[in-house]
């Protein structure tokens, strides 16, 4: 038998049908659903008189629209259209009998944080959601990717997806990370190197010592942004760190089933000699704490650098860089560490887990945020929030002047009231610095939680290593 | 889904690289529970000022391109969010075909589910069509899916590749779910086998 990649193995184990022309039906083990990309899909089922094929494998949670302020159970906190969308999910979850975590449930949170936390996401699974950051679940060695609403309807109706196999890409991070360098810096550095289309048509497997040394939280951060590198899915082979995280979660297998699962999970790695269509290698020691300067996640530089000159690029990127720098209100040659910040956002499916909050709190502890700064921490789930409160992190943030919010997507995409105003500049632990992403004409610099915390204290983009 | 066979229409040039789905349809318009009506907000933040007035310079506001049915775009069109609202907005505006050197995977897929044809071409062909598209009211381009051929305003022809299954579905306006349900027996057989092999799932 020819050697296989991890992606090949998961693909083969889920192939429900292959047509003569190579078009495949891939079986889906877990379908995660949120309120923004699902209403039209459920409506489609109703109109065709179809049921949800596997409600037991379907998990719904509202996250994109929900307010993150206290008293949000009061529907008057939401705009009419948001309220309708959340109410539609309430009704669809009930009518179609899928698992549901409503806003009032302490387990509610960002769908990509809730899935792993509850043990829905397991190694070797196929996981989809109408959200591009589904790539997050690849941290478990699960094949996980975002889909459109038509595909959401297709999975609801058939529990399969029509697919052509992607190519294999390996991203190896060798060696060890320097102090102050995190999973967020790894994933941004990779995108900085490969570009936002570097992974198009591929599934990325992240490997190497620096990846293996990451916690599950860090691995989720890395895989989360595979999509920003153009790859629909990122994968990390499961190991003891993975099994340790999964064991005992509410929906993880128990007893004899756990043993059986472990037997299979331990076979989920890329065989020696398996073929990759593309390989990228970065030395862990060469990665610095990074920030984005532009309006594409590929616009990444170490914090010690300066805003680039657009003429240093080639092709269409010259115009794009000019446009970005103008939009961001920056000047070529300006030191990145001189850029003053108005707002700090710590949260999102990229960096809203407990380890992220611990990293930020370690920088903030005993300090105050810069006068006039707006700073908020939005935990990724109600359970992350509860744990952070128990560990005393919430008090550290509140004492420093941060707002301590309820769980949701919040200012990562600003569909709820948490938004930037025109020209407002934000150091954000989220995943996209696109024009208008965090609010109309808002300006986003993507950073790690520690870097965001440092910016909140100093009032400008800051090298976190100076504060450690 | 509406069939796509042959389309003759105005092609609008959008040479910017990395046009993301947040640009195509900003998140404030995702709070709908319908698929229709998004065309008026297509490229909203590039197309209108804060007061809702049209920005004259924006290509789709120029008289020659107001009825464009084709966009010739810079590299990596449709990157970012998986929102199918992006192709819904394009379609609702009247765009049935987008041509670029590359597309983000999820957006590319979403187009086919909505009767929009995304065409990938080499840089030199996109450059030529971008020049054609700059001709305003004369930027009339014909896209023939059956023949896999684009004809420019001067009669110059470019051929393109497309997956045969996707071509078949577009040409016939086929509903994916209906097609898959014809394979229910395979899906059920797979489920039985998987329940044995991986009972914990």
């Amino acid at each position: 038998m020819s050697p296989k990649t991890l992606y090949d193995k998961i693909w083969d184990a889920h192939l429900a049908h292959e047509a003569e022309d190579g078009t495949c039906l891939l079986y889906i083990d877990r379908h995660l659903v949120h309120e923004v990309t699902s209403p039209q899909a459920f409506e489609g089922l109703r109109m065709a008189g179809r049921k949800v094929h596997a409600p037991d494998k379907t998990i719904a949670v509202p996250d994109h629209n929900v307010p993150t302020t206290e008293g949000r159970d009061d529907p008057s906190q939401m705009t009419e259209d948001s309220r309708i969308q959340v109410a539609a999910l309430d009704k669809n979850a009930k009518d179609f009998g899928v698992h549901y975590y409503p806003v009032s449930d302490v387990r509610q949170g960002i769908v990509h944080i809730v899935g792993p936390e509850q043990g829905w996401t397991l190694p070797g699974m196929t996981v989809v959601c109408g959200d591009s950051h589904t790539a997050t679940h690849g941290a478990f060695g699960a094949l996980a990717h975002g889909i459109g609403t038509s595909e959401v309807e297709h999975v609801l109706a058939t529990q399969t997806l029509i697919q052509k196999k992607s190519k294999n890409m390996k991203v190896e991070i060798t060696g060890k990370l320097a102090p102050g360098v995190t999973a967020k810096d790894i994933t941004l550095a990779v995108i900085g190197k490969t570009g936002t289309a570097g992974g198009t048509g591929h599934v990325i497997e992240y490997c190497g010592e620096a990846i293996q040394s990451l916690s599950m939280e860090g691995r989720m951060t890395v895989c989360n942004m595979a999509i920003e590198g153009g790859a629909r899915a990122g994968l990390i082979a499961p190991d003891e760190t993975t099994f340790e995280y999964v064991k005992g979660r509410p929906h993880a297998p128990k007893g004899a089933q756990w043993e059986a699962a472990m037997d299979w999970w331990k076979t989920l790695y890329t065989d020696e000699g398996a073929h990759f269509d593309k390989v990228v290698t970065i030395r862990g020691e060469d990665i610095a704490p990074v920030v984005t300067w532009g309006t594409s996640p590929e616009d990444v530089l170490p914090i010690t650098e300066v805003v680039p000159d657009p003429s240093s690029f080639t092709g269409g990127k010259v115009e794009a860089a000019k446009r970005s720098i103008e939009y961001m209100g920056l000047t070529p040659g300006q030191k990145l560490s001189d850029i003053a910040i108005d707002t700090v956002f710590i949260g999102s499916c990229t960096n809203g887990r407990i380890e992220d909050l611990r990293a930020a709190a370690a920088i903030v502890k005993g300090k105050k945020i810069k006068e006039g700064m707006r700073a908020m921490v939005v935990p990724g789930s109600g359970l992350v929030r509860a744990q952070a409160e128990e560990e005393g992190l919430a008090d550290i943030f509140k004492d420093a002047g941060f707002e301590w919010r309820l769980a949701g997507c919040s200012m990562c995409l600003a569909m709820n009231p948490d938004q930037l105003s025109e020209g407002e500049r934000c150091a954000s632990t989220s995943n996209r610095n696109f024009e208008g992403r965090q609010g109309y004409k808002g300006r986003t610099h993507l950073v790690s939680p520690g870097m965001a915390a440092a910016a909140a204290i100093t009032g400008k983009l800051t090298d976190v290593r100076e504060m450690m | 889904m509406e069939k796509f066979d042959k389309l003759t229409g105005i092609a609008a040039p959008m040479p910017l690289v990395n046009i993301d789905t947040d640009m195509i349809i900003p998140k404030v318009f995702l709070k709908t529970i319908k698929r229709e009506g998004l065309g008026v907000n297509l490229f909203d933040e590039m197309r209108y000022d804060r007061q809702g007035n049209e920005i004259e310079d924006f290509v789709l506001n120029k008289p020659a391109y107001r009825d464009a049915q084709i966009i010739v775009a810079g590299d990596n069109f449709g990157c970012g969010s998986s929102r199918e609202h992006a192709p819904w907005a394009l379609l609702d505006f009247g765009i049935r075909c987008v041509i670029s050197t590359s597309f983000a995977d999820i957006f590319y897929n979403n187009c086919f589910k909505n009767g929009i044809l995304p065409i990938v071409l080499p840089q030199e062909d996109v450059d030529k069509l971008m020049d054609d598209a700059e001709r305003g009211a004369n930027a009339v381009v014909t896209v023939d899916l059956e023949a896999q051929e684009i004809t420019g305003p001067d009669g110059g022809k470019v051929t393109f590749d497309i997956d045969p299954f996707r071509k078949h579905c577009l040409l016939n306006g086929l509903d994916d779910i209906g097609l898959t349900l014809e394979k229910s027996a395979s899906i059920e057989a797979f489920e039985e086998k998987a329940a044995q092999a991986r009972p914990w799932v």
Side-chain angles (χ1 to χ4, degrees):
Chain A
M1 213 165 54
S2 62
K4 290 179 176 182
T5 64
L6 172 57
Y7 169 52
D8 296 339
K9 289 181 182 180
I10 303 174
W11 173 274
D12 290 351
H14 290 85
L15 200 54
H17 184 269
E18 183 166 3
E20 279 172 22
D21 69 353
T23 303
C24 297
L25 280 182
L26 194 70
Y27 193 80
I28 302 304
D29 292 327
R30 293 284 181 264
H31 186 192
L32 309 173
V33 175
H34 66 80
E35 80 277 21
V36 177
T37 57
S38 68
Q40 294 88 348
F42 282 112
E43 191 55 25
L45 290 187
R46 277 201 187 86
M47 282 162 63
R50 290 173 177 144
K51 292 187 296 194
V52 173
H53 180 84
D56 259 6
K57 294 173 177 163
T58 311
I59 299 101
V61 57
D63 57 4
H64 281 57
N65 269 292
V66 299
T68 56
T69 39
E70 296 287 348
R72 64 178 177 177
D73 298 358
D74 173 4
S76 72
Q77 281 214 14
M78 274 191 268
T79 59
E80 178 71 11
D81 43 10
S82 291
R83 196 159 50 235
I84 289 171
Q85 231 173 25
V86 174
L89 188 65
D90 285 341
K91 178 170 165 49
N92 288 330
K94 187 161 167 274
D95 287 359
F96 290 92
V98 306
H99 298 280
Y100 190 48
Y101 302 102
V103 174
S104 56
D105 192 313
V106 70
R107 296 166 298 177
Q108 178 271 345
I110 305 171
V111 64
H112 307 308
I113 292 188
V114 172
E117 203 168 67
Q118 292 301 317
W120 289 114
T121 307
L122 299 171
M125 281 185 162
T126 46
V127 181
V128 296
C129 174
D131 188 283
S132 59
H133 291 109
T134 310
T136 312
H137 307 264
F140 291 80
L143 177 59
H145 59 78
I147 55 178
T149 298
S150 294
E151 290 179 313
V152 169
E153 186 179 341
H154 191 278
V155 177
L156 288 172
T158 71
Q159 206 58 27
T160 65
L161 262 188
I162 300 174
Q163 291 274 283
K164 281 266 165 89
K165 202 174 169 198
S166 301
K167 291 179 185 161
N168 280 289
M169 176 169 173
K170 175 160 91 169
V171 173
E172 186 176 16
I173 314 293
T174 62
K176 293 186 166 53
L177 298 178
V181 179
T182 67
K184 184 66 165 287
D185 301 299
I186 294 180
T187 204
L188 281 170
V190 171
I191 299 159
K193 182 164 172 138
T194 62
T196 50
T200 301
H202 294 76
V203 166
I204 295 178
E205 181 177 347
Y206 298 95
C207 60
E209 187 189 345
I211 296 291
Q212 286 164 343
S213 306
L214 292 173
S215 65
M216 286 316 294
E217 283 85 352
R219 294 179 189 188
M220 285 189 253
T221 301
V222 170
C223 290
N224 172 274
M225 290 189 71
I227 183 67
E228 266 62 62
R232 286 180 87 175
L235 284 171
I236 295 173
D239 59 11
E240 287 305 321
T241 305
T242 322
F243 308 142
E244 186 61 33
Y245 179 98
V246 167
K247 196 166 191 178
R249 303 252 160 206
H251 296 279
K254 315 252 176 329
Q257 294 229 343
W258 172 264
E259 298 305 325
M262 282 287 280
D263 285 345
W264 188 55
W265 294 346
K266 285 180 175 170
T267 68
L268 298 175
Y269 53 82
T270 291
D271 296 330
E272 188 76 32
H275 175 72
F276 284 96
D277 302 278
K278 204 168 182 177
V279 177
V280 172
T281 306
I282 298 179
R283 275 165 37 97
E285 292 82 359
D286 291 345
I287 301 174
V290 292
V291 301
T292 61
W293 51 267
T295 56
S296 166
E298 70 191 14
D299 301 339
V300 176
L301 282 172
I303 178 67
T304 48
E305 290 285 331
V306 299
V307 176
D309 189 330
S311 64
S312 64
F313 295 97
T314 55
K317 191 65 190 172
V318 178
E319 276 308 310
K322 258 188 217 166
R323 183 185 168 97
S324 284
I325 288 170
E326 190 186 328
Y327 179 89
M328 293 296 288
L330 300 173
T331 314
Q334 184 178 4
K335 282 174 73 174
L336 293 171
S337 57
D338 283 345
I339 297 172
I341 293 296
D342 307 306
T343 297
V344 166
F345 170 67
I346 298 175
S348 84
C349 59
T350 313
N351 282 131
R353 285 168 286 269
I354 190 69
E355 182 181 281
D356 302 314
L357 304 194
R358 286 180 192 141
I363 301 298
V364 168
K365 191 169 186 179
K367 302 189 182 75
K368 297 278 181 207
I369 61 170
K370 176 92 173 173
E371 204 183 323
M373 172 75 57
R374 171 161 76 129
M376 66 169 94
V377 180
V378 185
S381 72
L383 293 179
V384 169
R385 187 173 194 266
Q387 188 176 350
E389 286 176 348
E390 201 179 295
E391 292 182 15
L393 308 181
D395 289 334
I396 292 174
F397 288 121
K398 286 190 273 190
D399 291 348
F402 279 84
E403 294 175 52
W404 178 246
R405 296 295 192 87
L406 298 165
C409 297
S410 182
M411 201 190 267
C412 174
L413 87 166
M415 277 191 78
N416 77 348
D418 306 334
Q419 303 187 7
L420 296 182
S421 56
E422 211 166 322
E424 192 175 346
R425 190 183 296 281
C426 180
S428 177
T429 67
S430 55
N431 41 57
R432 288 189 176 132
N433 50 349
F434 295 154
E435 289 182 18
R437 172 79 179 182
Q438 294 193 291
Y440 181 78
K441 301 282 184 203
R443 293 162 172 168
T444 303
H445 296 276
L446 301 177
V447 291
S448 70
M451 291 279 282
I457 306 296
T458 64
K460 59 194 181 75
L461 292 178
T462 299
D463 191 335
V464 66
R465 292 171 295 193
E466 293 166 9
M467 297 183 66
M468 291 171 69
Chain B
M1 185 175 85
E2 201 181 329
K3 289 179 190 179
F4 188 111
D5 37 30
K6 195 169 182 178
L7 170 71
T8 298
I10 299 281
M14 293 192 77
L16 188 64
V17 298
N18 297 333
I19 291 179
D20 57 70
T21 53
D22 273 84
M23 280 181 178
I24 298 173
I25 186 80
K27 74 260 169 184
V28 284
F29 306 108
L30 306 189
K31 296 186 182 191
T32 174
I33 55 170
K34 297 184 165 35
R35 293 172 199 243
E36 297 83 23
L38 290 166
V40 66
N41 302 112
L42 176 71
F43 296 114
D44 195 85
E45 290 180 8
M46 302 165 93
R47 196 165 147 201
Y48 306 106
D49 66 19
R50 206 53 174 150
Q51 286 70 47
N53 304 307
E54 287 187 2
I55 296 168
E56 273 181 38
D57 282 354
F58 182 67
V59 60
L60 297 180
N61 288 334
K62 294 179 183 172
Y65 297 107
R66 299 185 78 90
D67 296 320
Q69 290 178 278
I70 300 163
I71 290 176
V72 184
D75 191 51
N76 197 27
F77 188 83
C79 60
S81 160
S82 62
R83 58 189 70 167
E84 198 163 319
H85 307 69
W88 293 339
L90 287 164
L91 186 67
D92 197 57
F93 179 89
I95 303 292
R96 295 293 311 277
C97 176
V98 187
I99 301 168
S100 178
T101 43
S102 80
F103 294 89
D105 288 338
I106 303 177
F107 174 83
Y108 185 77
N109 241 346
N110 284 341
C111 283
F112 286 101
K113 313 292 182 192
N114 291 283
I116 297 175
L117 173 61
I119 299 177
V120 180
L121 289 175
Q123 188 72 54
E124 61 198 66
D125 290 339
V126 172
D127 289 347
K128 170 75 178 65
L129 287 163
M130 195 70 79
D131 284 345
D132 289 341
E134 299 284 358
R135 298 187 197 183
N138 293 322
V140 178
V141 169
T142 297
V143 178
D144 183 341
L145 176 56
E146 180 65 55
Q148 296 181 213
E149 193 175 74
I150 304 168
T151 309
D154 295 335
K157 291 185 190 304
V158 173
T159 57
F160 60 90
D161 285 334
I162 182 171
D163 174 76
F165 175 72
R166 286 179 154 147
K167 177 179 176 179
H168 174 72
C169 290
L170 265 188
L171 281 173
N172 297 289
L174 294 178
D175 164 26
D176 276 352
I177 297 176
L179 287 176
T180 297
L181 287 174
E182 289 173 11
K183 304 187 184 86
S184 290
S186 299
I187 297 171
E188 279 164 27
F190 176 87
E191 284 179 322
E192 271 179 39
K193 202 178 67 180
Q196 298 285 321
R198 297 189 296 277
W200 61 86
V201 172

